[in-house]
Amino acid sequence: MNNTYDSLTANKLKIIAAFFMLLDHFVSVFLPHHALMSLIFRMLGRTAAPVFCFFIAQGYHYTSNRKKYLIRLLVLALVSHLPYVLAFGLPVHASSVVWPLALGLIALMTAKSEKIHLILKLLIIGALCVMAYTSNWYFIAILWILGFGLFHGNIKKQLASFSLVALIHIAWQLRRFGLFHEVYPQWFQLGLFLTLPLLLLYNGQLGKKSAFMSWFFYVFYPGHLVLLYLLKIFTPLAEFLGH
């Protein structure tokens, strides 16, 4: 990747993805799904999960302790569970995107292991995909992490694998809801491909080190869900915006 003046560091990409995620989640909670602003912001929000999947794969290669990294993700998934289901009014068995992010890291660790037979690897990864089924981004996030991790260092193959999995997701959503669903139109899913220019701008650098950025996503993710839930129950925003 080119380390140019205007390229994006990992920290900048994470902040952009988090901001787009916030927009996406805000309109999901407070606006009708078919509203134009909802479709636009949800299109931008499609970039968030792939970007964080990319950095899960990066974390596998660069973290000093993968087990501690995995434990942090699992704790975050646990902490985020209740805020997630409350913010979006989901059943308790639903899980946030952090769960498949953690499972994706396990899948990548399994795939890269030299001690596990190929058939067992496939069985483990298949089981992880099943475990992610009721989660946000379900097994799609796991496949993205695998693609980004297995093709680490080859941006063309990384983006090709990402695009293939994105097409699978889009096809599944259009089959599920139909091409022209009036309440849940799915064409905003094409925003997934906005991820491509974002990752092409990544310069391979972390950016300025700070304690804030080290813990940014771990605080932001459950924090913004709690904020959305409090706004939903204590303000008339949803009624005012027509959800």
Side-chain angles (χ1 to χ4, degrees):
M1 299 179 186
N2 294 326
N3 188 8
T4 58
Y5 178 79
D6 60 348
S7 293
L8 297 174
T9 63
N11 288 342
K12 289 179 181 178
L13 265 175
K14 290 176 183 178
I15 291 174
I16 290 170
F19 178 67
F20 285 166
M21 177 188 289
L22 178 60
L23 294 179
D24 182 1
H25 289 174
F26 179 84
V27 297
S28 296
V29 173
F30 295 111
L31 284 178
H33 295 286
H34 60 274
L36 179 59
M37 184 178 293
S38 180
L39 293 173
I40 293 172
F41 283 179
R42 298 216 70 194
M43 182 173 287
L44 293 174
R46 296 306 86 188
T47 62
V51 166
F52 285 112
C53 286
F54 176 80
F55 284 111
I56 292 294
Q58 290 288 100
Y60 167 85
H61 287 281
Y62 294 118
T63 187
S64 59
N65 192 317
R66 291 170 187 157
K67 290 183 179 179
K68 286 186 178 180
Y69 185 36
L70 176 59
I71 290 172
R72 289 199 301 270
L73 285 174
L74 291 172
V75 171
L76 179 60
L78 179 62
V79 170
S80 302
H81 179 73
L82 188 59
Y84 176 75
V85 298
L86 290 175
F88 295 107
L90 298 171
V92 71
H93 64 266
S95 300
S96 74
V97 69
V98 186
W99 178 236
L101 290 183
L103 295 180
L105 178 58
I106 297 173
L108 183 56
M109 292 167 68
T110 300
K112 297 287 284 186
S113 174
E114 297 180 354
K115 299 179 181 180
I116 304 175
H117 191 276
L118 176 60
I119 294 178
L120 183 56
K121 286 182 180 182
L122 294 175
L123 290 174
I124 293 173
I125 292 171
L128 294 169
C129 288
V130 172
M131 291 170 64
Y133 186 72
T134 61
S135 304
N136 188 17
W137 289 108
Y138 51 114
F139 63 84
I140 293 296
I142 295 176
L143 297 181
W144 277 333
I145 292 169
L146 283 171
F148 288 137
L150 294 175
F151 296 123
H152 177 72
N154 188 325
I155 188 62
K156 290 183 179 180
K157 289 185 178 180
Q158 284 180 316
L159 296 186
S161 68
F162 160 76
S163 298
L164 177 60
V165 175
L167 286 172
I168 293 172
H169 170 72
I170 292 171
W172 169 253
Q173 293 302 102
L174 290 177
R175 181 182 182 276
R176 180 183 175 193
F177 292 101
L179 295 177
F180 304 105
H181 198 290
E182 293 182 0
V183 180
Y184 297 103
Q186 292 296 304
W187 292 105
F188 70 88
Q189 301 285 357
L190 293 172
L192 283 170
F193 295 106
L194 295 175
T195 306
L196 299 177
L198 284 177
L199 293 183
L200 284 170
L201 286 172
Y202 174 51
N203 63 14
Q205 303 298 313
L206 174 64
K208 186 177 180 180
K209 287 188 177 181
S210 69
F212 171 78
M213 284 309 306
S214 296
W215 290 95
F216 169 70
F217 183 66
Y218 297 97
V219 175
F220 167 81
Y221 189 77
H224 91 283
L225 293 174
V226 170
L227 176 61
L228 291 176
Y229 176 65
L230 294 176
L231 288 174
K232 184 171 69 171
I233 64 173
F234 290 118
T235 73
L237 264 178
E239 182 180 351
F240 178 73
L241 294 174
H243 195 281

